[in-house]
Amino acid sequence: MDKILSPNDSVWQLLIILREMVEVICAPRISSSQVEYMFEVIENYLTSRAKLYPSTPLRPKHHYLLHCPQLVHQFGPLLRVWTLRFESKHRFFKRVVASSSNFVNVTRTLSNKHQLLQVTYREGSLFHTKLEVDHSVPFVSEDYCEDLVSCIKFHSQIVKANSPLKEMHLCYKVTIQNIEFARGMLVVTSLSEGKLQAPPWLL
């Protein structure tokens, strides 16, 4: 209100009418009496706008406002049938056309890109973050020769693994974020400040 010189300013009054009109048109629930009031508010807005800006002609969308009360009688609250989300969807397709620079069979390109986007949304992310382990068994150092145990301890020191050998596991393969690790690898799943936070997996 600090920038409004006078509450009776014609532009400010027009803005108030516009806000009131939008609130009635976008109401989630509306009665028959409110529909009649909607028509009065729309007429008031269009008349006030034409008087305030006589050199600026009304556009077709201003004329369409006069049909809103009739549409409410036919379909109910207009908030339930608006197409704003469809307009937002068009932006994705426009961006795909501009970035792909492919004008041969555009509809197929758009369909493929859109389906890939939907798959990504359904999966939640592009890469799986969970750890998938195949045939995991605890590592028992007593069951293996000293050379193998020493080798494992050596590799554990390289990755700064402070976990005892009994916390390690043996498995055929480990899959992390769709990346498969095979035999002969030592997989460290998490590090914090240079220290191992989870037991490594021996393959």
Side-chain angles (χ1 to χ4, degrees):
M1 292 294 295
D2 296 339
K3 296 183 179 181
I4 305 301
L5 300 179
S6 174
N8 298 323
D9 182 74
S10 56
V11 177
W12 174 248
Q13 291 297 322
L14 181 65
L15 182 61
I16 293 177
I17 298 174
L18 175 62
R19 176 183 175 182
E20 188 175 1
M21 180 185 66
V22 172
E23 288 180 349
V24 176
I25 293 177
C26 298
R29 300 180 63 181
I30 189 169
S31 62
S32 299
S33 59
Q34 289 174 322
V35 175
E36 299 299 328
Y37 174 70
M38 178 195 301
F39 184 76
E40 295 179 2
V41 174
I42 293 174
E43 276 196 331
N44 187 16
Y45 170 74
L46 295 178
T47 303
S48 301
R49 187 185 185 282
K51 291 181 179 179
L52 188 60
Y53 302 103
S55 59
T56 304
L58 295 176
R59 298 187 177 185
K61 288 188 177 181
H62 292 108
H63 169 73
Y64 298 154
L65 287 173
L66 296 173
H67 296 281
C68 287
Q70 179 184 358
L71 295 176
V72 172
H73 281 299
Q74 292 179 349
F75 305 107
L78 300 181
L79 187 65
R80 311 299 182 187
V81 294
W82 72 344
T83 59
L84 185 62
R85 292 307 305 156
F86 295 98
E87 296 292 339
S88 177
K89 199 72 172 180
H90 290 166
R91 183 174 58 179
F92 166 76
F93 292 110
K94 291 179 181 178
R95 187 167 62 248
V96 170
V97 171
S99 60
S100 61
S101 300
N102 180 16
F103 300 99
V104 178
N105 202 348
V106 178
T107 54
R108 181 176 180 179
T109 301
L110 295 178
S111 299
N112 291 338
K113 296 290 186 180
H114 181 262
Q115 290 305 109
L116 291 174
L117 177 67
Q118 294 301 313
V119 170
T120 304
Y121 285 159
R122 287 180 177 272
E123 289 295 323
S125 62
L126 186 59
F127 299 104
H128 295 286
T129 57
K130 65 180 181 179
L131 175 69
E132 298 180 1
V133 182
D134 186 19
H135 296 90
S136 172
V137 294
F139 176 74
V140 181
S141 59
E142 290 78 7
D143 295 342
Y144 299 91
C145 64
E146 294 182 1
D147 293 338
L148 179 60
V149 174
S150 300
C151 181
I152 294 174
K153 288 182 178 180
F154 174 75
H155 284 286
S156 299
Q157 293 175 358
I158 293 178
V159 297
K160 299 181 181 180
N162 297 323
S163 302
L165 293 179
K166 64 180 180 180
E167 294 185 6
M168 294 187 179
H169 293 74
L170 294 171
C171 58
Y172 290 108
K173 65 178 180 179
V174 172
T175 304
I176 304 175
Q177 294 185 349
N178 287 343
I179 301 176
E180 186 175 300
F181 298 89
R183 289 185 178 183
M185 298 180 179
L186 178 66
V187 180
V188 179
T189 56
S190 63
L191 284 173
S192 177
E193 297 181 356
K195 295 183 179 180
L196 189 68
Q197 297 298 308
W201 300 84
L202 299 177
L203 307 176

